[in-house]
């Protein structure tokens, strides 16, 4: 009954909005039991499973969706997202590149590609992609972060600092911009200024500590100014 399927999907959507992902997933599972070929249901169920940390199971359902429609952009996006959650960036890479070929101006997909290149430490590719993003939108935060990260990775710290400062100009309330600037300054042996930047970042978003550790800034987190933030 199409009406009952629509009603179930609406219920699952409501659970999603409320952040009740187990209930959302259970509802979508009932939908798939009714109609295992509906690509929208398969993608939504796969996505719900990722919220529950069931990434390998989610991948099976994104693959089932792609069996129905191999070129479906939503199914492809979901698959690359799941692969990344599984730490399989090399497999996600060609999928997101293919999606960008289909729609070169989609900055969301390009932002995903920037993150993959950064995670894989492919800094030359990251730099090229960041420059392509900034041609589309010179103030795109992902593009600015990507360019700064690429330049840091290539040990071009003075140049990276320029883009970190541009990132802060675009949005002074984005903790990431201050963290990137701190990384540049720390690499330039300007540790006191780096601490100042981390103070701002942690004031904006106290949960930034984990990100700061991953940026090889753990050593200056012990600064007395930062301990009580």
């Amino acid at each position: 009954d199409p009406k009952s399927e629509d009603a179930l999907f609406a219920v699952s959507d409501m659970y999603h909005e409320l952040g009740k992902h187990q209930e959302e997933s259970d509802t979508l599972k009932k939908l798939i039991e009714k109609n295992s070929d509906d690509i929208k249901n398969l993608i939504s169920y796969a996505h719900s499973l990722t919220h529950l940390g069931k990434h390998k199971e989610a991948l099976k359902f994104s693959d089932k969706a792609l069996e129905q429609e191999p070129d479906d952009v939503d199914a492809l996006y979901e698959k690359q997202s799941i692969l990344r959650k599984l730490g399989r960036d090399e497999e996600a890479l060609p999928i997101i590149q293919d999606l960008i070929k289909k729609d070169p101006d989609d900055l969301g997909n390009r932002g995903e590609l920037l993150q993959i290149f950064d995670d894989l430490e492919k800094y030359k590719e990251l730099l090229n992609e960041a420059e392509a993003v900034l041609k589309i939108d010179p103030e795109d935060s992902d593009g600015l972060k990507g360019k700064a990260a690429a330049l840091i990775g290539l040990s071009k710290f003075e140049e990276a600092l320029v883009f970190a400062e541009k990132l802060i100009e675009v949005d002074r309330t984005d903790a990431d911009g201050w963290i990137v600037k701190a990384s540049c300054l720390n690499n330039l042996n300007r540790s006191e200024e780096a601490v100042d930047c981390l103070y701002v970042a942690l004031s904006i978003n106290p949960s930034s500590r984990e990100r700061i550790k991953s940026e090889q800034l753990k050593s200056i987190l012990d600064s007395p100014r930062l301990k009580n933030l």
Side-chain angles (χ1 to χ4, degrees):
D1 180 357
K3 285 188 179 178
S4 68
E5 287 185 28
D6 288 345
L8 275 172
F9 195 85
V11 170
S12 76
D13 207 35
M14 177 193 71
Y15 282 135
H16 181 77
E17 292 298 320
L18 293 170
K20 294 185 174 183
H21 299 301
Q22 184 63 63
E23 291 86 344
E24 175 197 8
S25 190
D26 291 343
T27 306
L28 288 163
K29 189 174 182 180
K30 290 176 187 175
L31 263 175
I32 287 171
E33 286 167 357
K34 284 175 172 286
N35 184 356
S36 62
D37 294 333
D38 188 295
I39 191 167
K40 180 177 73 171
N41 295 345
L42 290 165
I43 296 167
S44 297
Y45 185 51
H47 191 68
S48 75
L49 289 168
T50 65
H51 283 292
L52 301 174
K54 298 178 179 180
H55 305 312
K56 288 183 179 178
E57 191 179 348
L59 187 60
K60 291 177 187 175
F61 284 92
S62 72
D63 281 339
K64 283 184 180 180
L66 287 165
E67 285 171 17
Q68 302 293 329
E69 196 66 56
D71 293 324
D72 185 87
V73 293
D74 293 328
L76 287 165
Y77 183 88
E78 189 63 34
K79 179 168 183 175
Q80 70 82 28
S81 178
I82 296 165
L83 287 169
R84 289 188 61 210
K85 288 180 173 75
L86 287 166
R88 292 160 61 179
D89 284 356
E90 290 282 7
E91 292 171 71
L93 180 57
I95 297 174
I96 202 70
Q97 287 174 320
D98 188 48
L99 287 171
I100 290 169
K101 284 178 188 173
K102 294 177 193 293
D103 186 358
D105 293 332
D106 187 321
L107 290 175
N109 287 339
R110 286 188 175 274
E112 292 281 327
L113 182 57
L114 289 170
Q115 190 60 59
I116 291 172
F117 281 144
D118 196 13
D119 290 346
L120 293 173
E121 298 183 359
K122 295 189 174 192
Y123 297 121
K124 289 182 181 178
E125 293 90 338
L126 176 59
L127 183 60
N128 290 337
E129 181 58 27
E131 288 174 346
V133 168
L134 293 172
K135 280 182 183 175
I136 298 169
D137 179 357
E139 294 190 345
D140 181 81
S141 61
D142 286 336
L144 291 168
K145 284 177 198 174
K147 186 153 187 179
L151 291 166
I152 291 170
L154 295 168
S155 300
K156 297 180 178 182
F157 305 120
E158 291 282 4
E159 289 179 57
L161 184 59
V162 172
F163 288 92
E165 288 173 343
K166 282 185 182 178
L167 184 56
I168 292 168
E169 283 174 26
V170 169
D171 185 359
R172 297 187 68 81
T173 65
D174 183 353
D176 280 354
W178 294 98
I179 294 169
V180 172
K181 184 175 179 180
S183 182
C184 297
L185 291 167
N186 195 49
N187 278 296
L188 291 166
N189 297 314
R190 293 161 63 181
S191 59
E192 285 301 315
E193 292 169 84
V195 168
D196 291 341
C197 290
L198 292 188
Y199 184 88
V200 177
L202 288 166
S203 300
I204 294 168
N205 183 2
S207 66
S208 295
R209 281 185 181 273
E210 288 308 310
R211 166 79 200 280
I212 290 166
K213 288 175 186 176
S214 72
E215 290 291 328
Q216 299 179 331
L217 292 166
K218 190 176 178 181
S219 59
I220 58 174
L221 267 179
D222 293 331
S223 164
R225 281 193 71 198
L226 303 177
K227 278 189 174 178
N228 296 324
L229 279 176

